[in-house]
Amino acid sequence: MAPIFLLLQAVVGAFLFLYFPESEAVLCYENSDQGVGTCPDDAYLGDGVTDIECCWNIKYSYKTDATSPCQACRPAKWSAWSEWSPCTVSCKEGIEIRRRSCIGQGDCDGDAIEVQACSLQSCCPENGGWSGWSSWSQCSVTCERGTMERTRECNNPPPECGGTCPGTKKEVAPCDTQQICPTHGSWGSWGSWGACSGACITEGSAIFPNQVRQRSCNNPTPSTNPPGNPCTGDKQEIQDCKTLPFCPVHGGWGEWKKVSECSVTCGLGRVGEERVCNNPAPKHGGRGCPGSPIRHILCNTKTECPIDGEWSEWQDWSDCQLLGEDIRCKKRAGIQSRKRECLGTNYGGKWCETPYREGRNCYNVEKCIIRTTRWSEWSPWSLCSASCGVSERTRQRVCEPIYQDYPDTVTTATKVSEVFFHGTPRFQCQPINNEKLKVVETIPCQNVPKC
């Protein structure tokens, strides 16, 4: 077991050397948003530590400075795919795009963008035409100037597929009755309250000064010819000043006091501190204490965090054999196996669960001549090949061998197992368009934006 542990230490050390060849001071965060690769503000631990110390816990992330991008400590992985973008056209066929980001230390295998065809509706809107205008309506007032209007309908012809008629349905024009209207008086807005007769009151006093506000009959002023009605009601209001302030006392903070221990037992964590606004406490409208009553400061355990192992990809299946017997091209089942490795365990982390080796029954058909074949059904259309410029999609049919008289399963004393075919046989189908193994169709994607 000791040699395996030393080997894993070497693997982790190589990982740290590859992605942190020269350590530097960083801003350290407890975690990162795995979907978009950002460092949340509420996860900030502090600065004054190196990138290697911060990444003792591979769930953490860091920035080299406040404006630099967030870097996750763990090995690189793809984020989840984004939602599909809106279709490039609102009618007929276009394309839509989705993307993902490679977050972490290193590179990710695969594509960061996918494109597929889309159609929001099968037809495009066509505008209609207006009918003739109706007659003008009567004037909206019986004196002085008003308005009159006329309308028309969007039915000559009606629009199709969600179209409209350009222009307005209603037209308004001024009209003059040649009659003068009387103007009735109305109050203007109340003016501001005047100053109180005193600047402040003593706490507990029952005597209040008063203040006055006024308004004018000028919104509008009543006319004289023809005569308009005057304003009704009072032009002045008086009220007591019951809310005069006491002299304010502004608050001041007390001392910081520790309220929690370090939040972690490995890597970097936080220690909580609190303070109270009581030196003095605010009173009579005085300002409260600025800032937060709670803060968290960095604590360093000087201890690496455990790293649990992760399985590597499965290795290729071994050759299909049966105790040294030649079973190639025979209807006799053999055995093949494959294995994988548990990588990355360090600092007391957990070893990988589930088996590291698996086997299966097989037929060895390497270079065997298979005379019975068939063409597959057409595959689904592929995604579009590009997000701009020339873009196309394809589908295909492939020639498939038919393994006659090969049993699908093999029975042992304890169970019935499926049997797999291993190797590359020799075969071909009746030609389609002079092709004997694969037929491909290609069509262009429509309405793709220019690059």
Side-chain angles (χ1 to χ4, degrees):
M1 191 65 182
I4 296 177
F5 179 78
L6 293 176
L7 175 61
L8 292 177
Q9 279 191 319
V11 171
V12 173
F15 171 81
L16 293 175
F17 177 78
L18 178 61
Y19 296 110
F20 306 101
E22 294 183 6
S23 61
E24 58 180 341
V26 296
L27 310 178
C28 190
Y29 294 78
E30 279 185 304
N31 54 52
S32 64
D33 188 327
Q34 300 300 316
V36 297
T38 59
C39 292
D41 290 339
D42 60 356
Y44 177 67
L45 288 175
D47 57 8
V49 294
T50 66
D51 45 4
I52 293 178
E53 288 178 312
C54 186
C55 287
W56 281 343
N57 189 327
I58 62 173
K59 296 179 181 179
Y60 285 9
S61 58
Y62 65 89
K63 293 182 179 181
T64 56
D65 57 61
T67 60
S68 66
C70 184
Q71 301 186 50
C73 288
R74 63 166 173 74
K77 289 184 180 179
W78 285 114
S79 69
W81 283 105
S82 67
E83 297 293 333
W84 287 103
S85 67
C87 199
T88 54
V89 293
S90 60
C91 57
K92 297 186 177 178
E93 182 180 318
I95 64 167
E96 54 189 12
I97 303 171
R98 68 177 182 177
R99 307 173 188 274
R100 60 180 177 176
S101 300
C102 183
I103 301 172
Q105 304 294 325
D107 298 322
C108 300
D109 294 329
D111 297 323
I113 183 172
E114 283 189 345
V115 185
Q116 70 177 6
C118 58
S119 177
L120 298 180
Q121 61 181 32
S122 59
C123 62
C124 290
E126 293 185 13
N127 290 340
W130 289 110
S131 66
W133 287 104
S134 67
S135 300
W136 287 104
S137 67
Q138 292 184 345
C139 197
S140 60
V141 296
T142 58
C143 59
E144 295 187 354
R145 293 179 179 273
T147 58
M148 56 185 179
E149 64 183 39
R150 62 180 181 175
T151 60
R152 57 181 177 176
E153 299 297 326
C154 181
N155 59 6
N156 188 32
E160 295 182 356
C161 197
T164 61
C165 287
T168 59
K169 180 179 181 179
K170 182 171 67 175
E171 195 174 58
V172 179
C175 53
D176 191 349
T177 64
Q178 304 297 320
Q179 300 292 325
I180 299 175
C181 294
T183 301
H184 303 302
S186 181
W187 291 112
S189 300
W190 284 104
S192 301
W193 285 104
C196 291
S197 56
C200 62
I201 59 175
T202 303
E203 185 174 5
S205 174
I207 300 174
F208 302 95
N210 59 45
Q211 56 187 163
V212 178
R213 68 175 182 177
Q214 296 182 339
R215 58 181 176 175
S216 300
C217 186
N218 59 2
N219 187 34
T221 302
S223 61
T224 57
N225 186 23
N229 299 329
C231 298
T232 59
D234 298 327
K235 64 178 299 183
Q236 177 176 289
E237 280 187 346
I238 301 174
Q239 72 173 7
D240 290 336
C241 297
K242 295 183 178 180
T243 58
L244 289 174
F246 296 108
C247 295
V249 176
H250 304 310
W253 287 113
E255 295 182 354
W256 286 104
K257 294 183 179 180
K258 181 178 176 181
V259 295
S260 69
E261 299 300 327
C262 192
S263 60
V264 296
T265 57
C266 65
L268 304 177
R270 295 175 171 179
V271 171
E273 293 186 340
E274 291 183 353
R275 57 181 176 176
V276 179
C277 187
N278 60 0
N279 188 33
K283 190 177 181 182
H284 301 319
R287 293 189 301 271
C289 297
S292 173
I294 301 173
R295 72 177 181 183
H296 295 88
I297 59 175
L298 177 71
C299 57
N300 190 340
T301 65
K302 303 294 184 181
T303 303
E304 298 87 350
C305 291
I307 301 176
D308 295 339
E310 292 187 2
W311 284 118
S312 67
E313 296 295 327
W314 284 105
Q315 298 176 0
D316 293 336
W317 286 103
S318 65
D319 292 338
C320 184
Q321 299 178 345
L322 182 61
L323 298 176
E325 180 182 343
D326 183 8
I327 59 172
R328 190 176 68 84
C329 304
K330 299 178 181 179
K331 299 178 178 63
R332 185 163 173 75
I335 297 174
Q336 58 182 163
S337 63
R338 65 178 181 176
K339 62 182 180 179
R340 57 185 176 176
E341 297 180 355
C342 184
L343 303 177
T345 304
N346 207 352
Y347 306 125
K350 296 179 181 178
W351 191 257
C352 303
E353 299 179 356
T354 70
Y356 79 98
R357 181 187 296 271
E358 64 179 7
R360 67 180 184 183
N361 295 106
C362 57
Y363 294 117
N364 190 335
V365 294
E366 178 65 25
K367 297 183 179 179
C368 298
I369 298 176
I370 307 299
R371 302 190 183 280
T372 306
T373 60
R374 66 186 173 196
W375 284 103
S376 70
E377 297 296 328
W378 283 107
S379 68
W381 285 105
S382 70
L383 298 173
C384 292
S385 61
S387 60
C388 62
V390 178
S391 184
E392 59 187 16
R393 48 183 176 152
T394 62
R395 66 175 183 174
Q396 64 182 17
R397 297 178 70 184
V398 296
C399 182
E400 299 174 339
I402 299 176
Y403 298 103
Q404 293 183 329
D405 302 328
Y406 279 86
D408 294 333
T409 59
V410 58
T411 303
T412 65
T414 58
K415 63 178 180 179
V416 177
S417 302
E418 182 181 1
V419 186
F420 298 83
F421 291 93
H422 176 72
T424 304
R426 291 182 289 180
F427 61 91
Q428 61 184 22
C429 293
Q430 288 294 322
I432 298 178
N433 297 334
N434 295 324
E435 297 292 339
K436 297 181 180 180
L437 294 177
K438 181 168 68 175
V439 180
V440 179
E441 280 191 355
T442 302
I443 60 173
C445 293
Q446 303 297 319
N447 297 307
V448 181
K450 294 181 179 180
C451 292

